[in-house]
């Protein structure tokens, strides 16, 4: 969540550079399984299509996974290309199933299109893991229930979730605007009328319990 503040603009390697590195690793180390440790793999769709199309054309026979953002640019055709290039899993930064919370986070907040995005990924043959966190300063009980309802509706398109608890970290929007959010305290102990340490812990445990019941 602090990536933009720490690193500045999104940067990516050229498609040819990525393919060259893959070929080097395959030829030198026989490595065919990859995890791209990037903040997101689909920040620039033309670049993504460039190297994945080359992987397909050159029949590199790799398997890979990466972090990604939920976006209307993730068309069914794009996701099918990723699968054909060897993509086995995408780790999506969903964070919440409530549109109001997503808007406050300045994230893509069109819930129906997010749900279609997840279905398209699953239908393409790519495993779906969603990052989630509870306790955003603006998350109400109604918002939290919306997240639980989201998981119930989309259980067949989500293979697993990674839940966590929101805290006020350095150089983030929350840290820089604590007064506006009514946040008192520091980091893990920060709280306001919507989010206290006790409420965050309860929501976290509830989220874990529901996810286990749904098999995700």
């Amino acid at each position: 969540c602090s990536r933009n503040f720490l690193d500045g603009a999104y940067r990516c390697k050229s498609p040819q550079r990525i393919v060259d590195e893959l070929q080097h690793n395959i030829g030198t180390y026989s490595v065919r399984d990859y995890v791209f440790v990037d903040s997101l793999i689909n920040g620039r769709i033309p670049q993504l299509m460039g190297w994945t199309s080359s992987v397909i054309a050159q029949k590199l026979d790799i398997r890979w996974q990466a972090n990604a953002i939920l976006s209307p640019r993730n068309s069914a055709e794009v996701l099918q290309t990723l699968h054909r290039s060897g993509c086995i899993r995408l780790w999506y930064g969903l964070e919440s199933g409530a549109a109001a919370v997503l808007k406050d986070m300045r994230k893509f907040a069109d819930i129906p299109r997010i749900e279609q995005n997840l279905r398209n990924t699953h239908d393409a043959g790519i495993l779906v893991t969603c990052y989630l966190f509870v306790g955003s300063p603006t998350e109400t009980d109604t918002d939290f229930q919306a997240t639980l309802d989201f998981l119930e509706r989309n259980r067949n398109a989500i293979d697993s979730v990674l839940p966590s608890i929101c805290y006020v970290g350095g150089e983030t929007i929350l840290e820089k605007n604590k007064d506006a959010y009514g946040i008192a305290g520091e980091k893990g102990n920060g709280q306001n009328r919507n989010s206290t340490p006790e409420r965050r812990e309860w929501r976290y445990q509830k989220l874990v319990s529901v996810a286990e019941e749904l098999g995700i």
Side-chain angles (χ1 to χ4, degrees), residues 52-72:
T52 52
S53 296
S54 292
V55 166
I56 295 169
Q58 298 181 41
K59 300 179 180 179
L60 294 188
D61 185 26
I62 63 172
R63 290 154 298 280
W64 62 271
Q65 51 188 302
N67 290 323
I69 56 171
L70 290 156
S71 164

Side-chain angles (χ1 to χ4, degrees), residues 36 74 82 118 121 127 139 143 155 182 189 192 198 204 210:
F36 289 95
N74 294 346
L82 299 192
L118 296 177
T121 306
L127 295 172
E139 181 187 66
D143 293 327
R155 61 189 301 179
N189 293 320
N192 69 358
E198 295 77 19
Y204 174 80
V210 169

